[in-house]
Amino acid sequence: MSVPKLTYFDLAGRALGLRIAMFKAFGKDGWKDERIQFQDWKDLKPTTPLGCLPVLTLSDGKQMTQSEALTRWAGKKSGLYPEDDDAALIVDEVCATASEAINKAPQSKDPEEKKKLREEYAEGFLKTAFTMLSKRLDESGPFLTGDDISIGDLSIYMLTDMIASGSFDYIDAKYLDNFPSIKTHQDNVKNSPLVTSYLAEYPN
């Protein structure tokens, strides 16, 4: 029987939290982490359900997409998704907010225009999102729903890692300094046994 296969680019990006959840659910050898190069995307794109990544190929060969849905599936498989309905609602809210913060980031082929739009975005919706995420973290600790890490924490970590690593264009890593709770949370997640174990096996 084949194992689940997760297909994404060879970078952390929006698949970071999903990969960590897959690692928790299936270990090092119970799933395939397929990483493609950008030059290969043109040929692969027409074969995906919505023309985007990540894509999860289940053991029966069925292809599934939408990063939030895939992360929630992996969270349930791994025990990283709460059974309590209220806690699950908090996690769902945070996962959706982190995805929205990425999806709403303005784009432009002109670097100067993109820089201007991203700087405005940093003071607009992104600031609103981080303020809300900070509030949720302040209501609990050290993780989103208390002592146990969840896919909600991994979704926040996915977003903050993009900024801290410099891969969120024109949003400086120092932007996170405006949100102390977010920075503390980033350290808590990165230094957790789960993420430490993951990073020992995978580059990002």
Side-chain angles (χ1 to χ4, degrees), residues 9 11 24 123 131 150 155 165 168 183 202:
F9 300 107
L11 46 80
K24 176 70 163 56
E123 294 303 313
T131 299
S150 72
S155 293
S165 65
F168 202 120
K183 287 203 71 174
Y202 297 89

Coordinates of all heavy atoms in Angstrom, one line a residue, residues 9 11 24 123 131 150 155 165 168 183 202:
F9 N 6.7 23.1 -3.3 CA 8.0 23.6 -3.8 C 9.0 23.3 -2.7 O 8.7 23.0 -1.6 CB 7.9 25.1 -4.1 CG 6.9 25.5 -5.1 CD1 5.7 26.1 -4.8 CD2 7.2 25.2 -6.5 CE1 4.8 26.4 -5.8 CE2 6.3 25.5 -7.5 CZ 5.1 26.1 -7.1
L11 N 10.8 24.7 -0.6 CA 10.9 25.8 0.4 C 9.8 25.6 1.5 O 9.0 24.8 1.3 CB 10.8 27.1 -0.3 CG 9.6 27.4 -1.2 CD1 8.3 27.7 -0.5 CD2 10.0 28.6 -2.2
K24 N 4.4 14.6 12.3 CA 3.8 14.1 13.5 C 2.9 12.9 13.3 O 2.9 12.0 14.1 CB 3.1 15.2 14.2 CG 2.4 14.9 15.5 CD 3.4 14.6 16.6 CE 2.7 14.7 18.0 NZ 1.6 13.7 18.2
E123 N 0.7 48.0 7.3 CA 0.0 48.9 8.2 C -1.5 48.7 8.1 O -2.2 49.4 8.9 CB 0.4 50.3 7.9 CG 1.9 50.6 8.2 CD 2.2 50.3 9.6 OE1 1.5 50.7 10.5 OE2 3.3 49.7 9.8
T131 N -2.6 41.7 15.3 CA -3.2 42.2 16.5 C -4.2 41.2 17.1 O -4.2 40.9 18.3 CB -3.9 43.6 16.3 OG1 -2.9 44.5 15.9 CG2 -4.5 44.1 17.6
S150 N -0.8 22.9 18.6 CA -1.8 22.5 17.6 C -1.5 23.0 16.2 O -0.5 23.8 16.1 CB -3.2 23.1 18.1 OG -3.2 24.5 17.9
S155 N 0.2 27.1 12.1 CA -0.2 28.1 11.1 C 0.4 29.5 11.4 O 0.8 30.2 10.5 CB -1.7 28.1 11.0 OG -2.2 26.9 10.5
S165 N 12.3 34.9 8.0 CA 13.3 34.3 7.0 C 13.5 35.3 5.8 O 14.4 35.0 5.0 CB 12.9 33.0 6.5 OG 11.7 33.0 5.8
F168 N 8.9 36.8 2.8 CA 7.7 37.6 2.6 C 8.1 39.0 2.1 O 8.4 39.9 2.9 CB 6.9 37.7 4.0 CG 5.4 38.0 3.8 CD1 4.5 37.1 4.4 CD2 5.0 39.1 3.2 CE1 3.1 37.4 4.3 CE2 3.6 39.4 3.1 CZ 2.7 38.5 3.6
K183 N 6.3 37.1 18.8 CA 7.7 36.7 18.8 C 8.0 35.6 19.8 O 8.7 34.6 19.6 CB 8.6 37.9 19.1 CG 8.7 38.8 17.9 CD 10.0 39.7 18.0 CE 11.2 38.9 17.7 NZ 12.4 39.7 17.6
Y202 N 14.4 17.6 8.3 CA 14.1 18.3 7.1 C 14.7 19.6 7.1 O 14.9 20.3 8.1 CB 12.5 18.4 7.0 CG 11.8 17.1 6.9 CD1 11.4 16.4 8.0 CD2 11.6 16.5 5.6 CE1 10.7 15.2 7.9 CE2 10.9 15.3 5.6 CZ 10.5 14.6 6.7 OH 9.8 13.4 6.6

